[in-house]
Amino acid sequence: MALIVQKFGGSSVADADKIRNVARIITETYRRGHSVLAVLSAQGDTTDDLIEKSREINRNPSRREMDMLLSTGEQISIALCAMAIERMGYQAISLTGWQAGMLTDSSYSSARIKRIRTERIRKELDKKKIVLVAGFQGINKYDDITTLGRGGSDTSAVALAAALQADLCQIYTDVDGVYTADPRTVQGARKLEEITFDEMLELASLGAQVLHNRSVEMAKRYNVNLEVLSSFTGNPGTKVKEVVKTMEKMHVSGVAKDKNIARLALVGLEDRPGIAFKIFSLLGKRNVNVDLILQSIGRNGSKDISFTVALPDAQLAKEVMEENREAIGFQSVELNENVAKVSIVGAGLAHNAGVASKMFEALYNAGININMISTSEIKVSVLVDERDAERAVQAIHDRFFSEFGNG
Ligand code: ADP
Ligand code: ASP
Ligand code: MG
């Protein structure tokens, strides 16, 4: 008998029929003799709708109250699913984050799980109950509800699987696995039978929302047996693991796009030591994370620096720069919110010199201009205009994955 954690995303529990379908998947696993703990997300667009509701009242609410509001969505799902399971003649119990012992830090809206007190869950599993836990939420040291950030139910599930040393953690979603690119928008995207934790972590961090990036980080750290599959088709999914069979062969495992990004450019900086330090330490103090950075060659004592930040931080980053204009010393700051980052990810990239040039060639052939470039062991990212993003992904994907372009 195994302990299996199953997570169902918003589209898998969107209405009564879908909840019944999820209850069927859970009870079938249970009938095969396994202990089952299921983590559920809020139904369909519930979280977005709740955000909208808050805007009608206050456009700048405290993050504590926002978490109080957003956590309600998951609570609806677990109660309804428990009812569906009861109706099918099995015993189920739903638990909120705090009942399930999910202890987090105090960063409302982006809390991190610190520890899970598993006693209550174990007690219910020992009673042979199916346990349903509200995803995306926990409780902090002040006994306040916190949420883990958008898409965070994946992280709840993996954290529970790690804490309970579950035999398997299945992430059920609306596509039947991890693809070489978003199968909803990219023609010819292929399902991967397996992918390494490292590649999946990059893809998730670079915009493929199929898994929350922190869930992958945690799965790697605790070596959780992780699988992504569809709650609708019954097809085999994608295994996410430390080592995969195809490792040497594959150069590129996927293409991802991130539109949640903005670029700031500081023009007319003095070309002297300490400028970059000043800029990025000021941003760091205000908790603004910087991603791509580009510095021009100094000419006549003057240089430019541009960098990207997450879109929600863009206005703050601009304000911080303007407030410190004198101290930093620049002529102007320009903010462009209409940019997107497109990336290729693959384990062997650093050792395949031709891969980046193939990517640039694909963009050139599609007439797409590159604004910034960044490379690492495992990825190559380019910044393009937002309106070119979809075309860029398709062109790059065609180059690496179409029958004729593969290589
Ligand atoms: P859930 O509500 O189940 O958590 P999400 O919407 O968070 O589901 O994630 C699933 C979606 O991720 C898919 O519908 C798909 O459009 C998108 N996606 C983006 N990139 C990929 C990829 N490389 N492989 C699979 N799905 C992807
Ligand atoms: N309901 C939350 C969200 O929409 C968490 C999740 O779905 O994982 O972001
Ligand atoms: Mg998700």
Side-chain angles (χ1 to χ4, degrees), residues 45-61 65-67 69-73 109 136 147 149-151:
D45 296 329
T46 301
T47 309
D48 290 328
D49 295 344
L50 288 169
I51 292 172
E52 211 34 60
K53 260 190 206 305
S54 77
R55 293 220 165 109
E56 288 168 18
I57 307 275
N58 180 348
R59 293 193 77 82
N60 194 16
E65 298 310 326
M66 207 56 199
D67 279 6
L69 178 69
L70 296 193
S71 65
T72 60
S109 84
F136 176 56
T147 66
R150 297 304 306 271

Side-chain angles (χ1 to χ4, degrees), residues 7 9 41 151 154 173 209-212:
K7 180 259 171 179
S41 289
D154 300 331
T173 183
Q209 87 265 34
V210 62
L211 281 177
H212 195 225

Side-chain angles (χ1 to χ4, degrees), residues 34 63-64 114 117-118 122 151 159 162 209 281 326 396:
H34 304 305
R63 295 203 297 167
R64 180 194 182 277
K114 293 178 81 170
R117 269 201 220 115
T118 53
R122 286 199 192 277
Q209 87 265 34
S281 61
E326 298 281 290
I396 295 166

Side-chain angles (χ1 to χ4, degrees), residues 199-262:
E199 289 169 293
M200 189 64 237
L201 182 56
E202 283 295 333
L203 277 180
S205 306
L206 293 168
Q209 87 265 34
V210 62
L211 281 177
H212 195 225
N213 59 355
R214 274 160 47 205
S215 74
V216 188
E217 221 169 71
M218 203 175 302
K220 179 178 163 69
R221 189 167 339 125
Y222 296 99
N223 205 15
V224 173
N225 187 6
L226 187 64
E227 186 182 9
V228 179
L229 64 177
S230 162
S231 58
F232 304 118
T233 65
N235 293 341
T238 302
K239 296 267 186 198
V240 190
K241 50 210 268 210
E242 191 60 47
V243 178
V244 302
K245 286 177 257 160
T246 49
M247 244 166 154
E248 276 284 74
K249 227 169 47 196
M250 285 281 263
H251 297 167
V252 175
S253 58
V255 186
K257 150 189 103 206
D258 185 0
K259 289 187 172 178
N260 190 32
I261 187 173

Side-chain angles (χ1 to χ4, degrees), residues 77-125:
S77 300
I78 51 169
L80 291 176
C81 191
M83 292 174 196
I85 293 173
E86 279 173 0
R87 178 110 202 262
M88 294 164 84
Y90 298 87
Q91 279 199 304
I93 182 162
S94 61
L95 301 173
T96 62
W98 78 262
Q99 288 175 311
M102 283 278 190
L103 309 180
T104 73
D105 65 16
S106 294
S107 337
Y108 299 104
S109 84
S110 57
R112 287 186 167 257
I113 300 168
K114 293 178 81 170
R115 199 158 71 81
I116 306 180
R117 269 201 220 115
T118 53
E119 293 86 353
R120 175 73 189 272
I121 293 177
R122 286 199 192 277
K123 209 162 77 189
E124 303 299 345
L125 289 173

